[in-house]
Amino acid sequence: MTLINILLATLAGGVLSVLAAATLSLTLLKDIAHKLVGFSVGILLAIAFLDLLPEAAEALEPHQLGTMVLAGILVFFALEKTALWRHDHHEDSDHVCHSNHAAGPLIVLGDGLHNFVDGVLLAAAFLQDPALGWATTIAVISHEVPQEVGDFMVLLGAGYSRAKALWLNVLSSLTSVLGGILGWLTLSGTTGAIPYILALAAASFIYIAVADLVPELHKHRKPSDFVIQFSLMAAGIGVVLLNSHGH
């Protein structure tokens, strides 16, 4: 029964969050998707600095945490460079900036790591007390939806179709189920890796926000653009702060 609860909870916290975020993104936010890059930056940075890193810091020494984040940023730089080389090799006749295209695989990888950790944490909560497990599930859903909206906007902004953006987000959300199963099977062995996974996930979000998305914002340089961008960044941070109280 515990495993069934974990499976239901991880599916709810992952796939349902993605579907809710996609519905919001394609209806209410559809016509202003291209303007919401600033909102995505705010969400990604806030999740990294206000959620993932503080959680990782509870188990890691400051030097360990800093080393993991630094290593993660270097790894994601190398991954993106590899993606760009491959992309340019296939389209070397096109003089188009592909930098934002690589944000797609990176956002899926970072979100997948985050969802995997959510799955492990849900398993731990259910193994302790089913009521705690479902309370944690509600917190995860309320926390995931705004993040998934941000991810969906990143993928649309990177040139992905709506269908492909939805599929990639669903794919990354399924790692929550994997985390739940592995957490249930080998909880004591898995929990030791959680802070390291959190630090790597934070590094990916920081890298995407600063290396891929902020340069997009700088392409629009009017004072009015700055006001809109800064306001949307603040709004993204505010959404995460509001949801963090229930996480």
Side-chain angles (χ1 to χ4, degrees):
M1 188 62 191
T2 300
L3 178 59
I4 293 174
N5 282 338
I6 291 171
L7 291 174
L8 290 174
T10 51
L11 283 171
V15 177
L16 286 185
S17 296
V18 168
L19 295 178
T23 301
L24 282 173
S25 300
L26 296 178
T27 54
L28 299 176
L29 306 176
K30 176 183 172 184
D31 297 325
I32 55 171
H34 63 288
K35 295 181 180 179
L36 288 183
V37 173
F39 184 71
S40 300
V41 170
I43 283 183
L44 290 173
L45 290 179
I47 288 172
F49 285 107
L50 304 178
D51 182 14
L52 296 174
L53 290 178
E55 286 189 33
E58 292 180 6
L60 297 177
E61 295 292 328
H63 189 266
Q64 285 179 305
L65 180 59
T67 300
M68 285 301 298
V69 173
L70 180 59
I73 288 173
L74 292 175
V75 166
F76 290 114
F77 170 77
L79 288 174
E80 182 172 35
K81 186 64 76 174
T82 302
L84 292 173
W85 282 335
R86 291 183 55 142
H87 202 273
D88 289 343
H89 178 71
H90 291 297
E91 300 187 21
D92 53 6
S93 60
D94 294 339
H95 298 289
V96 181
C97 175
H98 302 303
S99 63
N100 210 33
H101 182 86
L106 288 177
I107 201 79
V108 172
L109 179 60
D111 204 24
L113 286 170
H114 186 199
N115 289 331
F116 178 83
V117 172
D118 277 344
V120 175
L121 294 176
L122 284 171
F126 273 106
L127 286 169
Q128 184 172 338
D129 177 12
L132 177 63
W134 287 115
T136 305
T137 303
I138 294 170
V140 166
I141 293 172
S142 67
H143 179 77
E144 281 293 313
V145 170
Q147 179 194 327
E148 296 293 350
V149 169
D151 291 351
F152 204 78
M153 293 303 175
V154 170
L155 293 172
L156 292 179
Y160 289 85
S161 67
R162 295 173 188 174
K164 190 168 185 180
L166 177 61
W167 165 244
L168 285 173
N169 266 0
V170 168
L171 190 65
S172 71
S173 75
L174 291 177
T175 59
S176 178
V177 180
L178 178 62
I181 294 172
L182 287 180
W184 180 72
L185 289 172
T186 57
L187 191 61
S188 59
T190 308
T191 51
I194 288 177
Y196 295 97
I197 296 173
L198 288 172
L200 285 175
S204 73
F205 290 160
I206 293 167
Y207 182 83
I208 292 164
V210 175
D212 288 322
L213 302 184
V214 169
E216 290 294 314
L217 296 179
H218 286 327
K219 292 178 181 178
H220 306 280
R221 304 174 188 175
K222 298 176 184 176
S224 59
D225 291 327
F226 167 75
V227 172
I228 293 171
Q229 292 167 358
F230 194 87
S231 299
L232 287 171
M233 287 173 67
I237 293 168
V239 167
V240 174
L241 282 172
L242 287 174
N243 281 277
S244 292
H245 292 302
H247 186 63

